[in-house]
Amino acid sequence: MEQQRGNWSSNFGFILAATGSAIGLGNLWKFPFITWDNGGGAFVLVYLVCIAAVGLPIMMAELLIGRKTQKSAIGALREAVGPLWGLVGGWGVLCGFILLSYYTVIAGWSLFYFTKTVTWSTGGFPSDLSMGELFGAQSGNGGLQLIISLLFSIATVSVVYFGVQKGIERIARIFLPVLFAILALMLVSALTMSGSGEALAFIFRPNFAELRPSGVLEALGHSFFTLSLGMGLMITYGSYMDRTQSIVKASAIIIVLDTVVALVATVIMFSVIFSVAGMADEIGGSTVGMLFISLPELFYTVVPFGRILGPLFYVLIALAALTSSMSLLEVVTSYVIDEHGLERHKATLMCGASVFVFTVLAALSFGSTPWLSTMEIFDGKIGWFSTADHFVSNWMLPTGGLAITLAAGWFMTRETTEGELLDGIQPGWFSYGAWRFFIRFVAPIAVAAIIIAVLFFNVDFS
Ligand code: TRP
């Protein structure tokens, strides 16, 4: 059994894979929009504090639980804390299952817009085309939605099928550098645009009058999503780690890279938007709007080298989504492998197919199937997709995250956590005492605040 488990081929490979999981649609699709919605600078500052004060300690906690036990989410929590804690792991696996099922739909859209932008770049942009109508037509076309989300699921399954080293790590090694390169190109182009000064000021100059209390909680909720925390993904990835690698250093690198990418993506998008008079007022109240309605056409009207950058931008989204979706499928698959003794190939196909059943529901919930598109369980969250996203972001990730802070801070012994965290680093620059204070007090109180806010004050993080 032990021999069959995968492991990373190198420390660097692990960092790329974990960073790939963190960087995803959360950075490109959610973060720019919620920053917009919450008025910019002050929100960004609060977000950075949440990442450092809550995200970093929890990331370290998940990785140490995984590496210590060498097991995936359920087995790891059971062994590290106690039999009942397997339920928390199970909650995480379920969360990964649901999240992957709808994540795939947005990822599929990036494939559609990639083919569209390639057509426009080569054949010319049709000036009379309405982006809003195009978006409605593609998202409301059930057959098309099924095809593109199936294609993306097949890509995800194909990676996980080959295992930790030959699948996940290899894809992260190839695609992450490509992703950084595309982002750098786009940043250079965006900074030459007339709106870039305004964009930078909007993002980095805090104006606390703009910040609503719900924005603080939204920042906290998003830090879980963007860092892939709260559902045992980092436990699972940590279980393939080598004892010589420092958890503290790895966590710091992953978090910095994820944050830089979120900020760079936001600078790029806002520079484009601020460069067009009146555009800022047109960004509607929806997260999808910015990425798939406002931006596509701007590549052909204002962005320097937009004919090349347009298709590249949608490749960027697809790659970022793939390195995250493969991590989500790995959580589910590794559970089946570890707990039910299935062989990886079979386990991957089985899990991929089961998740896809639910992807179908999400894919058909943008107009093509009436009951899926109009159902409303949570107030104002219309349709299966929004319902699932709301449930995962507002309920599953924060509760899972809270349980993990309690496990690492209050239930595991000081000797265990200290030993894991001090491995592989020079004594001196990392304070174990500070981590312990954050994981015992700061993080659980902050996360409990989210949950209370959701329960009693109807705050929404999705
Ligand atoms: N972090 C990814 C993003 O920003 C999403 C994601 C991947 C995720 N794996 C996760 C979120 C595990 C929570 C838990 O898009």
Side-chain angles (χ1 to χ4, degrees), residues 62 73 88-89 91-93 95-97 99 228-236 327-328 331 396-397 400-401 404:
E62 287 202 23
V88 174
W91 184 240
V93 172
C95 179
F97 189 100
L99 180 42
S228 303
L229 297 175
M231 51 155 272
L233 176 271
M234 290 295 168
I235 297 184
T236 307
S327 77
L328 289 163
V331 171
M396 302 195 85
L397 295 180
I404 288 165

Side-chain angles (χ1 to χ4, degrees), residues 18-30 62 95-96 99 103 222 224-234 258 320-321 323-329 331 392 397:
T19 306
S21 168
I23 298 173
L25 297 174
N27 306 59
L28 305 171
W29 163 61
K30 278 195 172 184
E62 287 202 23
C95 179
L99 180 42
Y103 202 83
H222 184 67
F224 278 102
F225 189 94
T226 191
L227 295 174
S228 303
L229 297 175
M231 51 155 272
L233 176 271
M234 290 295 168
D258 182 77
T323 53
S324 299
S325 64
M326 68 193 192
S327 77
L328 289 163
L329 183 58
V331 171
V392 165
L397 295 180

Side-chain angles (χ1 to χ4, degrees), residues 62-296:
E62 287 202 23
L63 290 175
L64 84 83
I65 293 173
R67 193 180 64 177
K68 162 97 192 125
T69 56
Q70 302 281 300
K71 294 207 164 69
S72 55
I74 297 184
L77 281 162
R78 204 189 276 142
E79 185 177 311
V81 206
L84 267 182
W85 286 78
L87 291 174
V88 174
W91 184 240
V93 172
L94 183 65
C95 179
F97 189 100
I98 304 176
L99 180 42
L100 177 58
S101 74
Y102 69 82
Y103 202 83
T104 301
V105 176
I106 309 283
W109 292 352
S110 65
L111 300 181
F112 174 80
Y113 278 91
F114 170 68
T115 58
K116 274 288 163 201
T117 45
V118 167
T119 321
W120 296 333
S121 292
T122 51
F125 183 73
S127 53
D128 54 347
L129 188 65
S130 148
M131 284 296 126
E133 277 169 29
L134 176 71
F135 178 76
Q138 76 96 22
S139 60
N141 180 339
L144 174 70
Q145 288 301 308
L146 289 182
I147 293 170
I148 53 184
S149 49
L150 179 63
L151 283 177
F152 196 84
S153 299
I154 292 175
T156 307
V157 167
S158 316
V159 179
V160 174
Y161 187 84
F162 291 104
V164 177
Q165 265 185 33
K166 295 212 180 87
I168 294 174
E169 185 176 338
R170 178 183 293 169
I171 289 298
R173 271 176 193 273
I174 302 171
F175 286 168
L176 233 60
V178 176
L179 189 149
F180 287 130
I182 298 178
L183 213 56
L185 276 181
M186 298 202 64
L187 182 64
V188 172
S189 165
L191 288 178
T192 64
M193 298 184 67
S194 61
S196 60
E198 207 182 329
L200 289 170
F202 184 79
I203 299 165
F204 294 110
R205 194 176 297 155
N207 170 6
F208 282 91
E210 285 280 339
L211 191 66
R212 292 170 263 134
S214 65
V216 177
L217 294 162
E218 199 167 356
L220 193 56
H222 184 67
S223 43
F224 278 102
F225 189 94
T226 191
L227 295 174
S228 303
L229 297 175
M231 51 155 272
L233 176 271
M234 290 295 168
I235 297 184
T236 307
Y237 271 19
S239 75
Y240 308 132
M241 260 174 110
D242 192 279
R243 291 210 64 88
T244 58
Q245 182 163 22
S246 162
I247 289 175
V248 180
K249 279 189 207 159
S251 307
I253 297 174
I254 298 163
I255 283 186
V256 167
L257 289 175
D258 182 77
T259 307
V260 168
V261 169
L263 292 175
V264 167
T266 311
V267 168
I268 294 170
M269 287 182 215
F270 290 6
S271 299
V272 176
I273 287 165
F274 280 121
S275 297
V276 186
M279 194 70 214
D281 305 322
E282 277 177 39
I283 307 290
S286 92
T287 23
V288 284
M290 210 180 269
L291 225 44
F292 300 107
I293 300 175
S294 317
L295 279 174

